[in-house]
Amino acid sequence: MAGEQYNPGVSDTAPLRAVRPAPPNRPRGTQWLLRGAGLVAVAVVAGLIWGLLRTSGSGVEGQAEPTVTEDPLTSGAFDYTVVAGPQRSTDCAGNAYGDVADWLASTPCSRLDRALYTTGSGEARALVSVVLVTMPDAGGARQLKAITDTEGTGNINDLVRDGTANLPGAPEVAGGEYASTAEGSEVTIVEAAYFGERAADDTLARIAADALRLSAALR
């Protein structure tokens, strides 16, 4: 006789767990794109940091580099020493002579700055007058330069000529070399002459031209 067959009930078996399907594999191209984007982001950040370090100069953020200012008395072909002035006035006509004085009486300047300097080359020593005239506009500056550039029309008095400076043995600079320039509303006028009996030469002409930059010391 066959044995009794056993049929297990529901409570006699362990419940079956649900099996989650495995996530699909990403295409290899997507992985390389993500990696490339990360590398680009790192490069951008590194570039920004390097730029900040370069612009900070000394490496300290917010600290500006020091500004080097040239001394007009020593930054050119010749070195100069101040012997009189600077002197400032608004009466250009009263400090001029000849046709220049007449023109300034009808066309007043805004400001007049004057000074005297000495310089040398070898054994030669020169006295240099630098005059800076500020006109109301650029047109007036060009007209004044045209008048002073013309022989026999007068000029602005240097500080020896008008008696402001007392320099024993000072030469008459109006009889030496002359140079001028007009920039904007400003006119710079230079006259230079050697001390002693030394005649004007090419070196004195170079001194007069070089001294035009001394107007920076009068502003």
Side-chain angles (χ1 to χ4, degrees):
M1 176 174 147
E4 184 179 358
Q5 185 176 358
Y6 174 72
N7 293 324
V10 176
S11 60
D12 294 331
T13 60
L16 295 177
R17 295 182 179 179
V19 179
R20 296 181 180 178
N25 293 329
R26 291 180 177 174
R28 293 181 61 84
T30 303
Q31 295 178 1
W32 284 111
L33 286 175
L34 293 175
R35 292 177 183 178
L39 292 175
V40 170
V42 171
V44 170
V45 173
L48 291 174
I49 294 174
W50 174 243
L52 290 174
L53 291 176
R54 285 178 60 88
T55 55
S56 64
S58 61
V60 179
E61 185 176 355
Q63 180 176 344
E65 293 184 1
T67 301
V68 179
T69 303
E70 289 187 343
D71 184 353
L73 301 183
T74 59
S75 60
F78 300 91
D79 291 345
Y80 300 86
T81 301
V82 181
V83 293
Q87 185 182 83
R88 177 166 292 182
S89 173
T90 55
D91 184 10
C92 285
N95 287 288
Y97 61 94
D99 295 340
V100 174
D102 295 337
W103 186 83
L104 286 170
S106 60
T107 313
C109 70
S110 300
R111 193 177 70 211
L112 172 65
D113 297 279
R114 298 178 294 165
L116 287 174
Y117 305 87
T118 57
T119 189
S121 176
E123 296 181 355
R125 183 165 168 260
L127 180 66
V128 181
S129 168
V130 180
V131 174
L132 178 63
V133 183
T134 304
M135 298 299 295
D137 53 48
R142 290 191 297 269
Q143 292 180 51
L144 175 60
K145 182 181 183 302
I147 297 171
T148 59
D149 286 352
T150 304
E151 188 72 24
T153 57
N155 208 331
I156 305 292
N157 287 321
D158 63 83
L159 294 179
V160 171
R161 183 187 179 99
D162 70 2
T164 301
N166 182 17
L167 301 177
E172 185 179 344
V173 293
E177 287 291 339
Y178 169 90
S180 70
T181 185
E183 296 182 4
S185 61
E186 296 180 339
V187 181
T188 303
I189 301 169
V190 172
E191 294 176 306
Y194 284 128
F195 285 89
E197 300 299 324
R198 191 182 186 94
D201 56 14
D202 290 342
T203 300
L204 187 62
R206 290 195 296 113
I207 289 174
D210 180 66
L212 288 170
R213 62 186 168 80
L214 296 182
S215 60
L218 301 180
R219 292 187 177 92

